[in-house]
Amino acid sequence: MANKLHLKITTPEKVIFEGDVDEVLVPGSNGELGILPNHTHILANLKVGELKIKKEGTWDHFAIMGGFVEVGEENNIKILADAAEHAEDIDEAKAMEAKERAESLLKEKREDVKFTEASVMLERSLARIRVAQRKKKYKAKTY
Ligand code: ATP
């Protein structure tokens, strides 16, 4: 039995990651979903959150802005994300700015489209900040 997963993470802009990994944890709409080799075929929605990949004993972290995951034949996993960044590529200052902008829009308590947009912006920025900070915390550490 094959013991690796062939993972490809794509956004409308580019391929973020492609390679063989041991385990994938994705933010499913009903909670975190763990995928190991020989997982059954699934197609699931992803929410904004953290995507984790285990490769050669080390976990790698990505911020993902929603999308979907397909586990197909022969351990092929495709993740199509609205946007995604590897922890190392996240501009934390930009995410902090977005968080502040979102929070000040939310304080206006407007019940229109702007409110929904600000909620999404806040959710995205918090995911980016969480992943960027995790990178610092666990740098050079395997767990
Ligand atoms: P914001 O939510 O800060 O206004 P945005 O609207 O530009 O940012 P998105 O629409 O989520 O953000 O993403 C647009 C592109 O910018 C994507 O390629 C995404 O990966 C990238 N991006 C957005 N924020 C960051 C960040 N803080 N660090 C790195 N890349 C980012």
Side-chain angles (χ1 to χ4, degrees):
M1 274 214 282
N3 61 355
K4 291 277 178 197
L5 297 162
H6 314 295
L7 173 67
K8 187 168 182 180
I9 306 172
T10 316
T11 71
E13 291 166 7
K14 59 181 174 179
V15 175
I16 301 285
F17 176 91
E18 187 165 15
D20 287 348
V21 302
D22 301 312
E23 188 176 348
V24 182
L25 290 172
V26 294
S29 37
N30 296 319
E32 193 168 65
L33 178 67
I35 305 162
L36 285 163
N38 308 309
H39 194 287
T40 184
H41 184 230
I42 53 157
L43 185 59
N45 279 315
L46 300 180
K47 60 184 181 185
V48 173
E50 193 173 350
L51 168 67
K52 301 167 201 156
I53 295 173
K54 191 179 182 190
K55 204 179 161 196
E56 289 152 19
T58 306
W59 286 97
D60 218 356
H61 304 261
F62 296 76
I64 179 165
M65 303 302 119
F68 68 88
V69 59
E70 182 184 23
V71 181
E73 300 295 318
E74 295 173 3
N75 287 316
N76 276 303
I77 306 186
K78 286 185 196 143
I79 294 177
L80 294 183
D82 296 341
E85 302 99 35
H86 184 252
E88 303 265 333
D89 298 326
I90 294 172
D91 180 338
E92 198 180 339
K94 184 177 181 302
M96 288 285 194
E97 272 169 37
K99 175 179 172 280
E100 276 152 31
R101 249 184 299 132
E103 283 170 344
S104 69
L105 280 168
L106 288 171
K107 271 195 205 120
E108 292 175 21
K109 294 196 170 62
R110 287 164 52 166
E111 289 178 11
D112 59 7
V113 170
K114 278 259 183 283
F115 189 86
T116 313
E117 279 173 11
S119 308
V120 172
M121 197 198 283
L122 181 62
E123 205 185 357
R124 286 172 170 241
S125 61
L126 289 174
R128 286 176 169 131
I129 293 165
R130 198 162 60 239
V131 173
Q133 292 185 345
R134 196 185 258 287
K135 176 199 74 179
K136 283 189 225 154
K137 210 168 160 187
Y138 294 103
K139 207 162 190 180
K141 201 174 174 187
T142 55
Y143 66 102

